[in-house]
Amino acid sequence: MGYPSDLTDAEWALIEHYFQPRDRRGSASLHPRKRIVDAIFYVVKSGCQWRMLPNDFPPWQTVYDHFSRWNKRGVWEAALNQLNALHRQNNGRSASPSYGIIDSQSVKTEYASEERGIDGGKKVKGHKRHSVVDILGNLLHVSVHAANCSDTVAGGPVMARATEK
């Protein structure tokens, strides 16, 4: 039984090495790593809450714990960078992009936080996200700021972060 968000075996083979434990000490995992990644992709694709994962996936606490640890280690960014380079090469381009296209979007949020502001031009109270993509549309970087952060102020540092990879 599978879900549309599940990775194929070929897709998993491309990124599997990023999700292997760095240290072989400790007990063996009870759940296959691919199944945990499939569960994370299910949450991302469906937008459901972690607690609402279907029962045929590992327990949501296990899935979230792996997601959080991989996020802190930069595993997702490393896998994305490799996939971007592979996609670029398959399209006859160099592995590293030479151009970046930046755009921003102000998003209304209901909850209060330090990173919340008002975008006066768009009349939106919330956050602003800046995304950088290459010529092929591959995601290179995303930054989230308060909505009152000017594009001219945020643009330079966002593009600098995108080039660090």
Side-chain angles (χ1 to χ4, degrees):
M1 176 176 168
Y3 295 94
S5 58
D6 287 354
L7 293 171
T8 65
D9 290 337
E11 291 168 337
W12 176 242
L14 289 173
I15 61 171
E16 178 180 12
H17 60 281
Y18 289 107
F19 298 94
Q20 297 307 318
R22 290 183 294 181
D23 191 348
R24 296 285 181 197
R25 292 181 290 180
S27 60
S29 179
L30 297 175
H31 307 284
R33 299 264 189 254
K34 181 183 181 303
R35 199 69 188 135
I36 293 171
V37 172
D38 285 342
I40 292 167
F41 286 172
Y42 180 88
V43 169
V44 170
K45 183 73 174 173
S46 70
C48 78
Q49 298 170 0
W50 291 104
R51 294 174 187 262
M52 304 272 301
L53 266 175
N55 291 331
D56 55 338
F57 284 121
W60 74 266
Q61 299 94 329
T62 302
V63 174
Y64 179 77
D65 182 58
H66 280 80
F67 168 77
S68 180
R69 281 190 281 135
W70 290 334
N71 198 34
K72 289 175 186 167
R73 272 187 20 214
V75 168
W76 299 109
E77 284 185 15
L80 178 64
N81 290 341
Q82 177 198 335
L83 293 173
N84 281 344
L86 184 62
H87 183 249
R88 291 181 58 75
Q89 289 171 332
N90 288 343
N91 282 283
R93 299 202 171 257
S94 70
S96 297
S98 55
Y99 291 98
I101 303 162
I102 187 169
D103 195 13
S104 68
Q105 180 181 28
S106 295
V107 183
K108 181 191 256 184
T109 56
E110 298 296 323
Y111 58 91
S113 74
E114 289 181 22
E115 287 292 317
R116 185 176 178 208
I118 299 174
D119 182 343
K122 296 183 181 155
K123 311 271 190 291
V124 172
K125 186 176 190 178
H127 294 89
K128 183 180 283 188
R129 57 181 165 234
H130 287 88
S131 302
V132 181
V133 298
D134 67 4
I135 296 287
L136 298 174
N138 295 322
L139 181 65
L140 301 177
H141 181 70
V142 175
S143 289
V144 179
H145 313 278
N148 60 347
C149 182
S150 164
D151 290 342
T152 55
V153 171
V158 169
M159 285 300 279
R161 266 292 272 149
T163 60
E164 289 175 5
K165 294 165 172 80

